[in-house]
Amino acid sequence: MIDLRKISFAAKGSAEEQDWLNDWAKLGWNLRHVSGYVYSFKQQSFPVFIATRYLTTLPERTTDDNIIQDVALKTPQLFVQYAAVAKRAHASRKTAADDIVSGKIMAAARQRLLKAELLWALLGFLAIFSRMVYLNVSGFTAPSGMGILGSLMSSVPFLGGLLLWLVGLAGLISINHQIGQRDRQYRLLNNDFANAALTAKYVTLTSTAAQIDLTPVADLGRWQLLSVKAGNFHYRLQTLLTDDEIEQQVTAKLPTVQQVTVTKWLGFMYIPI
């Protein structure tokens, strides 16, 4: 029996993770164990599909449960249960409540990665600074005239460590970007902007209507009406969406709006992007 290990950064118990596991099952790789972000599979001639669910407490198991593993999460505090099902269609579809929990798991993962990224960057700078102080105090400087910098650049161990640090930092930034995209998608899906780094954009909606009902676009972010002049409604919008996404969604959901302009704020003037 062949073992396969894969790394994934999907939110535990999410629809994305369940689909990913079942895509591997279709290829004959059945889930064997979950450890952090590392998934272990075993190859079999018949696929065993996976159903995941969130539990606040673990019920007593029976022989008919077909439970593969229970994974305990710290943030939020709950369990993710992985169970084997005969057919992929038997894997329960995710509900809106599941998406909310998945969003909280993804947000917590992003916070951990942000802290890891900052800590890794700080450790690197401290290591470089400490090495420079040591060379300065000890008087070990390169004869080339470049002083401490020359001594650092002429040290093979230092250059090797610097390269490893840069590769690690680049990896953390890349992973954090992926997690950030998924966190953004869940926040938009759940209309949850609490503790999110929202970008303030200034949006002008042109309409012949006396007023604009923003209910259809309330899930885009936090709207604040600033002024109305000659059919132009100026709003401050705190959102995770890009400028193009704002324009597309407002145009699709608000038929009374003839034009959408995303602007930058500069003093008392609206500057179109």
Side-chain angles (χ1 to χ4, degrees), residues 236-256:
R236 181 177 186 266
L237 174 62
Q238 290 179 282
T239 184
L240 294 169
L241 294 175
T242 64
D243 299 343
D244 290 339
E245 288 172 336
I246 294 172
E247 183 176 354
Q248 292 170 5
Q249 295 207 33
V250 170
T251 302
K253 296 179 179 180
L254 297 180
T256 60

PDB file of all heavy atoms in Angstrom, residues 236-256:
ATOM      1  N   ARG A 236     -18.850  56.877   0.962  1.00  0.00           N
ATOM      2  CA  ARG A 236     -17.599  56.294   1.457  1.00  0.00           C
ATOM      3  C   ARG A 236     -17.881  54.812   1.695  1.00  0.00           C
ATOM      4  O   ARG A 236     -18.780  54.464   2.458  1.00  0.00           O
ATOM      5  CB  ARG A 236     -17.136  56.963   2.748  1.00  0.00           C
ATOM      6  CG  ARG A 236     -15.816  56.415   3.309  1.00  0.00           C
ATOM      7  CD  ARG A 236     -15.417  57.219   4.547  1.00  0.00           C
ATOM      8  NE  ARG A 236     -14.110  56.838   5.048  1.00  0.00           N
ATOM      9  CZ  ARG A 236     -13.897  55.936   6.004  1.00  0.00           C
ATOM     10  NH1 ARG A 236     -14.940  55.314   6.562  1.00  0.00           N
ATOM     11  NH2 ARG A 236     -12.680  55.647   6.406  1.00  0.00           N
ATOM     12  N   LEU A 237     -17.116  53.949   1.048  1.00  0.00           N
ATOM     13  CA  LEU A 237     -17.344  52.512   1.126  1.00  0.00           C
ATOM     14  C   LEU A 237     -16.105  51.820   1.680  1.00  0.00           C
ATOM     15  O   LEU A 237     -15.028  51.905   1.101  1.00  0.00           O
ATOM     16  CB  LEU A 237     -17.676  51.940  -0.261  1.00  0.00           C
ATOM     17  CG  LEU A 237     -17.794  50.416  -0.367  1.00  0.00           C
ATOM     18  CD1 LEU A 237     -18.925  49.897   0.512  1.00  0.00           C
ATOM     19  CD2 LEU A 237     -17.977  49.980  -1.807  1.00  0.00           C
ATOM     20  N   GLN A 238     -16.266  51.148   2.828  1.00  0.00           N
ATOM     21  CA  GLN A 238     -15.204  50.316   3.377  1.00  0.00           C
ATOM     22  C   GLN A 238     -15.451  48.891   2.911  1.00  0.00           C
ATOM     23  O   GLN A 238     -16.482  48.287   3.247  1.00  0.00           O
ATOM     24  CB  GLN A 238     -15.198  50.379   4.907  1.00  0.00           C
ATOM     25  CG  GLN A 238     -14.752  51.725   5.456  1.00  0.00           C
ATOM     26  CD  GLN A 238     -14.779  51.747   6.963  1.00  0.00           C
ATOM     27  OE1 GLN A 238     -15.832  51.883   7.578  1.00  0.00           O
ATOM     28  NE2 GLN A 238     -13.612  51.604   7.574  1.00  0.00           N
ATOM     29  N   THR A 239     -14.529  48.358   2.152  1.00  0.00           N
ATOM     30  CA  THR A 239     -14.795  47.101   1.479  1.00  0.00           C
ATOM     31  C   THR A 239     -13.519  46.301   1.251  1.00  0.00           C
ATOM     32  O   THR A 239     -12.408  46.822   1.399  1.00  0.00           O
ATOM     33  CB  THR A 239     -15.483  47.363   0.123  1.00  0.00           C
ATOM     34  OG1 THR A 239     -15.819  46.124  -0.500  1.00  0.00           O
ATOM     35  CG2 THR A 239     -14.567  48.156  -0.798  1.00  0.00           C
ATOM     36  N   LEU A 240     -13.709  45.048   0.875  1.00  0.00           N
ATOM     37  CA  LEU A 240     -12.611  44.177   0.465  1.00  0.00           C
ATOM     38  C   LEU A 240     -12.557  44.018  -1.045  1.00  0.00           C
ATOM     39  O   LEU A 240     -11.654  43.381  -1.580  1.00  0.00           O
ATOM     40  CB  LEU A 240     -12.773  42.794   1.107  1.00  0.00           C
ATOM     41  CG  LEU A 240     -12.650  42.721   2.626  1.00  0.00           C
ATOM     42  CD1 LEU A 240     -13.098  41.357   3.126  1.00  0.00           C
ATOM     43  CD2 LEU A 240     -11.215  42.983   3.062  1.00  0.00           C
ATOM     44  N   LEU A 241     -13.536  44.596  -1.739  1.00  0.00           N
ATOM     45  CA  LEU A 241     -13.639  44.432  -3.189  1.00  0.00           C
ATOM     46  C   LEU A 241     -12.668  45.344  -3.930  1.00  0.00           C
ATOM     47  O   LEU A 241     -12.283  46.410  -3.440  1.00  0.00           O
ATOM     48  CB  LEU A 241     -15.055  44.734  -3.657  1.00  0.00           C
ATOM     49  CG  LEU A 241     -16.165  43.776  -3.192  1.00  0.00           C
ATOM     50  CD1 LEU A 241     -17.518  44.294  -3.643  1.00  0.00           C
ATOM     51  CD2 LEU A 241     -15.920  42.381  -3.718  1.00  0.00           C
ATOM     52  N   THR A 242     -12.316  44.937  -5.146  1.00  0.00           N
ATOM     53  CA  THR A 242     -11.522  45.789  -6.026  1.00  0.00           C
ATOM     54  C   THR A 242     -12.448  46.799  -6.697  1.00  0.00           C
ATOM     55  O   THR A 242     -13.675  46.680  -6.655  1.00  0.00           O
ATOM     56  CB  THR A 242     -10.807  44.954  -7.093  1.00  0.00           C
ATOM     57  OG1 THR A 242     -11.788  44.330  -7.937  1.00  0.00           O
ATOM     58  CG2 THR A 242      -9.946  43.874  -6.452  1.00  0.00           C
ATOM     59  N   ASP A 243     -11.859  47.783  -7.357  1.00  0.00           N
ATOM     60  CA  ASP A 243     -12.657  48.809  -8.032  1.00  0.00           C
ATOM     61  C   ASP A 243     -13.553  48.194  -9.110  1.00  0.00           C
ATOM     62  O   ASP A 243     -14.727  48.563  -9.234  1.00  0.00           O
ATOM     63  CB  ASP A 243     -11.731  49.857  -8.662  1.00  0.00           C
ATOM     64  CG  ASP A 243     -10.879  50.569  -7.625  1.00  0.00           C
ATOM     65  OD1 ASP A 243     -11.233  50.490  -6.426  1.00  0.00           O
ATOM     66  OD2 ASP A 243      -9.866  51.177  -7.999  1.00  0.00           O
ATOM     67  N   ASP A 244     -12.998  47.281  -9.899  1.00  0.00           N
ATOM     68  CA  ASP A 244     -13.786  46.652 -10.962  1.00  0.00           C
ATOM     69  C   ASP A 244     -14.935  45.838 -10.391  1.00  0.00           C
ATOM     70  O   ASP A 244     -16.046  45.830 -10.947  1.00  0.00           O
ATOM     71  CB  ASP A 244     -12.895  45.754 -11.827  1.00  0.00           C
ATOM     72  CG  ASP A 244     -11.916  46.544 -12.673  1.00  0.00           C
ATOM     73  OD1 ASP A 244     -12.182  47.747 -12.904  1.00  0.00           O
ATOM     74  OD2 ASP A 244     -10.884  45.987 -13.094  1.00  0.00           O
ATOM     75  N   GLU A 245     -14.691  45.131  -9.269  1.00  0.00           N
ATOM     76  CA  GLU A 245     -15.743  44.322  -8.646  1.00  0.00           C
ATOM     77  C   GLU A 245     -16.866  45.208  -8.115  1.00  0.00           C
ATOM     78  O   GLU A 245     -18.051  44.858  -8.218  1.00  0.00           O
ATOM     79  CB  GLU A 245     -15.149  43.469  -7.524  1.00  0.00           C
ATOM     80  CG  GLU A 245     -14.283  42.330  -8.017  1.00  0.00           C
ATOM     81  CD  GLU A 245     -13.550  41.623  -6.892  1.00  0.00           C
ATOM     82  OE1 GLU A 245     -13.337  42.240  -5.830  1.00  0.00           O
ATOM     83  OE2 GLU A 245     -13.193  40.446  -7.069  1.00  0.00           O
ATOM     84  N   ILE A 246     -16.515  46.363  -7.555  1.00  0.00           N
ATOM     85  CA  ILE A 246     -17.537  47.296  -7.073  1.00  0.00           C
ATOM     86  C   ILE A 246     -18.415  47.749  -8.228  1.00  0.00           C
ATOM     87  O   ILE A 246     -19.648  47.720  -8.149  1.00  0.00           O
ATOM     88  CB  ILE A 246     -16.880  48.508  -6.394  1.00  0.00           C
ATOM     89  CG1 ILE A 246     -16.163  48.089  -5.112  1.00  0.00           C
ATOM     90  CG2 ILE A 246     -17.915  49.582  -6.083  1.00  0.00           C
ATOM     91  CD1 ILE A 246     -15.334  49.182  -4.492  1.00  0.00           C
ATOM     92  N   GLU A 247     -17.777  48.172  -9.308  1.00  0.00           N
ATOM     93  CA  GLU A 247     -18.526  48.664 -10.461  1.00  0.00           C
ATOM     94  C   GLU A 247     -19.428  47.576 -11.048  1.00  0.00           C
ATOM     95  O   GLU A 247     -20.601  47.825 -11.361  1.00  0.00           O
ATOM     96  CB  GLU A 247     -17.559  49.169 -11.529  1.00  0.00           C
ATOM     97  CG  GLU A 247     -18.250  49.769 -12.739  1.00  0.00           C
ATOM     98  CD  GLU A 247     -17.273  50.361 -13.735  1.00  0.00           C
ATOM     99  OE1 GLU A 247     -16.068  50.401 -13.424  1.00  0.00           O
ATOM    100  OE2 GLU A 247     -17.718  50.779 -14.813  1.00  0.00           O
ATOM    101  N   GLN A 248     -18.892  46.357 -11.185  1.00  0.00           N
ATOM    102  CA  GLN A 248     -19.679  45.267 -11.762  1.00  0.00           C
ATOM    103  C   GLN A 248     -20.887  44.920 -10.901  1.00  0.00           C
ATOM    104  O   GLN A 248     -22.008  44.766 -11.405  1.00  0.00           O
ATOM    105  CB  GLN A 248     -18.795  44.034 -11.950  1.00  0.00           C
ATOM    106  CG  GLN A 248     -17.724  44.197 -13.018  1.00  0.00           C
ATOM    107  CD  GLN A 248     -16.721  43.068 -13.010  1.00  0.00           C
ATOM    108  OE1 GLN A 248     -16.849  42.094 -12.264  1.00  0.00           O
ATOM    109  NE2 GLN A 248     -15.680  43.187 -13.825  1.00  0.00           N
ATOM    110  N   GLN A 249     -20.682  44.797  -9.592  1.00  0.00           N
ATOM    111  CA  GLN A 249     -21.773  44.375  -8.725  1.00  0.00           C
ATOM    112  C   GLN A 249     -22.821  45.468  -8.545  1.00  0.00           C
ATOM    113  O   GLN A 249     -24.022  45.182  -8.505  1.00  0.00           O
ATOM    114  CB  GLN A 249     -21.229  43.921  -7.375  1.00  0.00           C
ATOM    115  CG  GLN A 249     -20.348  42.678  -7.478  1.00  0.00           C
ATOM    116  CD  GLN A 249     -20.345  41.871  -6.193  1.00  0.00           C
ATOM    117  OE1 GLN A 249     -21.334  41.817  -5.487  1.00  0.00           O
ATOM    118  NE2 GLN A 249     -19.213  41.250  -5.905  1.00  0.00           N
ATOM    119  N   VAL A 250     -22.401  46.721  -8.420  1.00  0.00           N
ATOM    120  CA  VAL A 250     -23.362  47.810  -8.290  1.00  0.00           C
ATOM    121  C   VAL A 250     -24.193  47.937  -9.562  1.00  0.00           C
ATOM    122  O   VAL A 250     -25.424  48.094  -9.516  1.00  0.00           O
ATOM    123  CB  VAL A 250     -22.646  49.133  -7.976  1.00  0.00           C
ATOM    124  CG1 VAL A 250     -23.620  50.305  -8.073  1.00  0.00           C
ATOM    125  CG2 VAL A 250     -22.033  49.082  -6.588  1.00  0.00           C
ATOM    126  N   THR A 251     -23.549  47.834 -10.710  1.00  0.00           N
ATOM    127  CA  THR A 251     -24.267  47.930 -11.987  1.00  0.00           C
ATOM    128  C   THR A 251     -25.286  46.807 -12.133  1.00  0.00           C
ATOM    129  O   THR A 251     -26.403  47.024 -12.625  1.00  0.00           O
ATOM    130  CB  THR A 251     -23.268  47.891 -13.158  1.00  0.00           C
ATOM    131  OG1 THR A 251     -22.333  48.967 -13.013  1.00  0.00           O
ATOM    132  CG2 THR A 251     -23.987  48.027 -14.486  1.00  0.00           C
ATOM    133  N   ALA A 252     -24.905  45.589 -11.695  1.00  0.00           N
ATOM    134  CA  ALA A 252     -25.788  44.439 -11.833  1.00  0.00           C
ATOM    135  C   ALA A 252     -26.953  44.476 -10.846  1.00  0.00           C
ATOM    136  O   ALA A 252     -28.066  44.043 -11.170  1.00  0.00           O
ATOM    137  CB  ALA A 252     -25.000  43.144 -11.654  1.00  0.00           C
ATOM    138  N   LYS A 253     -26.723  45.023  -9.642  1.00  0.00           N
ATOM    139  CA  LYS A 253     -27.732  44.945  -8.585  1.00  0.00           C
ATOM    140  C   LYS A 253     -28.582  46.206  -8.438  1.00  0.00           C
ATOM    141  O   LYS A 253     -29.641  46.169  -7.805  1.00  0.00           O
ATOM    142  CB  LYS A 253     -27.049  44.640  -7.246  1.00  0.00           C
ATOM    143  CG  LYS A 253     -26.373  43.278  -7.205  1.00  0.00           C
ATOM    144  CD  LYS A 253     -25.686  43.031  -5.868  1.00  0.00           C
ATOM    145  CE  LYS A 253     -25.036  41.657  -5.813  1.00  0.00           C
ATOM    146  NZ  LYS A 253     -24.361  41.410  -4.505  1.00  0.00           N
ATOM    147  N   LEU A 254     -28.109  47.333  -8.998  1.00  0.00           N
ATOM    148  CA  LEU A 254     -28.857  48.585  -8.876  1.00  0.00           C
ATOM    149  C   LEU A 254     -29.189  49.120 -10.267  1.00  0.00           C
ATOM    150  O   LEU A 254     -28.425  49.906 -10.845  1.00  0.00           O
ATOM    151  CB  LEU A 254     -28.048  49.619  -8.093  1.00  0.00           C
ATOM    152  CG  LEU A 254     -27.698  49.285  -6.635  1.00  0.00           C
ATOM    153  CD1 LEU A 254     -26.892  50.401  -6.002  1.00  0.00           C
ATOM    154  CD2 LEU A 254     -28.955  49.019  -5.824  1.00  0.00           C
ATOM    155  N   PRO A 255     -30.320  48.711 -10.834  1.00  0.00           N
ATOM    156  CA  PRO A 255     -30.665  49.129 -12.196  1.00  0.00           C
ATOM    157  C   PRO A 255     -30.934  50.629 -12.332  1.00  0.00           C
ATOM    158  O   PRO A 255     -30.877  51.161 -13.444  1.00  0.00           O
ATOM    159  CB  PRO A 255     -31.927  48.317 -12.513  1.00  0.00           C
ATOM    160  CG  PRO A 255     -32.492  47.937 -11.182  1.00  0.00           C
ATOM    161  CD  PRO A 255     -31.322  47.793 -10.257  1.00  0.00           C
ATOM    162  N   THR A 256     -31.237  51.316 -11.217  1.00  0.00           N
ATOM    163  CA  THR A 256     -31.513  52.755 -11.305  1.00  0.00           C
ATOM    164  C   THR A 256     -30.240  53.591 -11.409  1.00  0.00           C
ATOM    165  O   THR A 256     -30.302  54.796 -11.654  1.00  0.00           O
ATOM    166  CB  THR A 256     -32.297  53.225 -10.062  1.00  0.00           C
ATOM    167  OG1 THR A 256     -31.528  52.964  -8.883  1.00  0.00           O
ATOM    168  CG2 THR A 256     -33.646  52.491  -9.968  1.00  0.00           C
TER     169      THR A 256
END
